[in-house]
Amino acid sequence: MEKRRIAILGSTGSIGRQALDVIRQHRDLFEVELLTANNSSELLIRQAIEFDANSVVICNEKKYEEVSEALKPHYIKVFAGMQSVCDLAAGDNVDIVLTSMVGFSGLSSTVAAAKAGKTIALANKETLVAAGKIVMDLAARHGARIIPVDSEHSAIFQCLMGSAGAEIKKIHLTASGGPFRTWERGRIANATSAEALRHPNWSMGSKITIDSATMMNKGLEIIEARWLFGTPGERIHVVVHPESIIHSMVEYEDGSVIAQMGHPDMREAIQFAFSYPFRLPLDNRKLDFAGIGSMTFHDADTDKFPAVSLAYEALEKGGNMACIMNAANEAAVAAFLRDRIGFYDITDIVRSCMDGMDFVADPDLDAIFETDRETYAKAAEMAQKIAASKSF
Ligand code: MG
């Protein structure tokens, strides 16, 4: 395998740090070309020096001086602002772009990487939720390969290898069920952000951990799978599997079901996206089947977790509906993380926005950005009202 030059968009977040750990184990095969961060200047500086990055971008322009001063003695180029992220990710000396920023903010740089025909290691699922059709069309037109990093989608991607041309009968998307799987609805209603942040299996950033607690994460993943694999919603089935050993499954026409397994560790999916189609050793925990003993499965409880139904509905409506759902969810989760609203207010706000915002049947990229902006503002306003009325 030839050495691959990697750009990590969002290197100081959970996925970004785990990606650097993968690179640390294979310095002979992977090289850090570009690192970007929103705000975490100190960690960005440390990472850039350790991995001898060619360039870095700090999105917050107020921190440019600090980063620039620190990296000058190391001859590392420093830029600021979102436009620089897009320009550098599309640069000639980048082979793979890992999109590990949080939420809708990842869209413009993912579009830039797709237009430049890069291999995209996609960790930013919101990009495909908000603009799946546009991003997949751009990638196809410019020859950009998208390799999923989301563990379920990496699993599906791996289950599809070697079955070219075979019809997928069903995708079984596994879900841990999150921290409230066994709680009663009444208790969930009063859950705090601290309780929602205690995920039983996966170590992740705060936004996605709240999404796991509401199961909106699974909702977003249904839509992500639809675009990545071209599988209609009615053939994507969610199955709750609390042990998180099977990361997802593909069922073929002949009834054969292929599963991909491993301990919950995002580095496996990140490394595979970097090394594809090759496999490399990884210093991680290996499965011990006798030790595991048994695995359990059940259907998702959509009364307790309405987000899954909302996602199917958004997929069915098409147009900008999934973008509306995603933007409302981002604003509501931000409010919940500050304990401004209650747990079920998150999905209530999403529901109201899906009913109330303007529907656009065939949105272009500008319409998607506008939908996101307007919906986010509307949802934030609704959260504000709830916070005021409940005196949270
Ligand atoms: Mg996932």
Side-chain angles (χ1 to χ4, degrees):
M1 183 180 129
E2 238 173 272
K3 202 166 190 177
R4 296 174 177 183
R5 297 163 299 177
I6 298 177
I8 301 181
L9 313 188
S11 66
T12 58
S14 171
I15 294 285
R17 284 179 275 126
Q18 294 181 76
L20 287 172
D21 192 45
V22 164
I23 295 175
R24 206 178 268 121
Q25 297 187 32
H26 301 286
R27 297 294 286 260
D28 50 331
L29 296 172
F30 304 126
E31 195 174 298
V32 172
E33 177 64 29
L34 168 69
L35 299 174
T36 83
N38 263 335
N39 258 310
S40 305
S41 46
E42 275 178 42
L43 181 54
L44 180 66
I45 290 164
R46 281 206 305 279
Q47 291 175 336
I49 294 170
E50 182 190 344
F51 290 91
D52 193 26
N54 187 17
S55 14
V56 304
V57 182
I58 180 84
C59 291
N60 181 348
E61 305 193 4
K62 288 189 193 122
K63 298 203 165 175
Y64 172 76
E65 282 299 328
E66 177 199 343
V67 179
S68 176
E69 280 305 308
L71 295 181
K72 201 183 282 172
H74 300 273
Y75 304 100
I76 295 169
K77 299 185 223 51
V78 179
F79 301 84
M82 200 56 203
Q83 188 56 49
S84 300
V85 176
C86 296
D87 294 344
L88 292 168
D92 283 341
N93 36 5
V94 170
D95 299 315
I96 299 174
V97 178
L98 173 66
T99 62
S100 49
M101 343 57 153
V102 178
F104 185 86
S105 69
L107 181 57
S108 50
S109 49
T110 306
V111 164
K115 281 184 178 165
K118 299 297 177 195
T119 293
I120 299 172
L122 188 100
N124 179 249
K125 68 190 87 188
E126 291 89 344
T127 297
L128 286 189
V129 172
K133 187 175 186 319
I134 296 171
V135 171
M136 294 310 287
D137 285 352
L138 277 175
R141 198 175 331 140
H142 297 279
R145 192 206 304 270
I146 298 183
I147 303 177
V149 168
D150 207 346
S151 62
E152 295 79 359
H153 304 74
S154 173
I156 296 162
F157 184 81
Q158 294 177 56
C159 293
L160 290 170
M161 288 167 69
S163 297
E167 184 82 21
I168 299 173
K169 190 166 171 239
K170 218 180 219 183
I171 286 174
H172 298 274
L173 198 63
T174 52
S176 70
F180 302 148
R181 181 178 58 86
T182 58
W183 290 29
E184 294 301 320
R185 200 179 197 281
R187 189 176 167 209
I188 299 175
N190 295 310
T192 62
S193 63
E195 288 170 319
L197 284 170
R198 272 180 228 129
H199 196 279
N201 302 345
W202 292 94
S203 153
M204 308 177 289
S206 58
K207 197 266 176 181
I208 182 173
T209 304
I210 301 300
D211 284 345
S212 293
T214 59
M215 288 194 75
M216 179 57 89
N217 183 51
K218 215 44 58 181
L220 299 173
E221 289 180 352
I222 291 166
I223 302 173
E224 181 186 13
R226 186 263 169 264
W227 293 113
L228 280 172
F229 308 111
T231 311
E234 61 269 20
R235 286 200 256 152
I236 303 172
H237 176 68
V238 172
V239 57
V240 177
H241 166 46
E243 295 86 1
S244 297
I245 299 290
I246 295 182
H247 297 149
S248 276
M249 300 173 264
V250 172
E251 181 177 334
Y252 289 99
E253 285 177 299
D254 57 3
S256 177
V257 178
I258 314 275
Q260 189 269 339
M261 296 182 241
H263 279 294
D265 183 338
M266 286 308 300
R267 295 175 309 163
E268 281 179 30
I270 296 167
Q271 176 168 294
F272 189 65
F274 286 174
S275 68
Y276 176 84
F278 304 102
R279 290 201 185 261
L280 303 174
L282 180 66
D283 169 25
N284 60 354
R285 198 173 147 212
K286 306 298 190 273
L287 285 179
D288 161 22
F289 285 100
I292 293 164
S294 62
M295 293 192 277
T296 53
F297 305 94
H298 58 84
D299 283 329
D301 182 338
T302 49
D303 283 335
K304 278 195 331 194
F305 304 107
V308 174
S309 309
L310 292 173
Y312 279 116
E313 187 186 319
L315 197 49
E316 166 101 40
K317 294 231 167 93
N320 65 342
M321 191 53 81
C323 178
I324 292 172
M325 181 189 86
N326 179 65
N329 181 60
E330 285 193 21
V333 168
F336 179 73
L337 277 169
R338 287 179 287 121
D339 289 312
R340 305 279 292 155
I341 61 172
F343 188 75
Y344 281 119
D345 291 325
I346 300 173
T347 35
D348 285 350
I349 288 173
V350 174
R351 168 82 272 162
S352 303
C353 287
M354 286 173 68
D355 291 338
M357 300 304 294
D358 290 336
F359 179 69
V360 183
D362 190 17
D364 59 11
L365 204 51
D366 287 340
I368 290 294
F369 277 101
E370 196 180 319
T371 298
D372 178 75
R373 205 166 38 240
E374 287 176 357
T375 308
Y376 194 98
K378 182 72 193 167
E381 186 192 314
M382 292 165 83
Q384 200 98 63
K385 276 195 190 137
I386 293 168
S389 71
K390 290 190 179 172
S391 63
F392 262 92

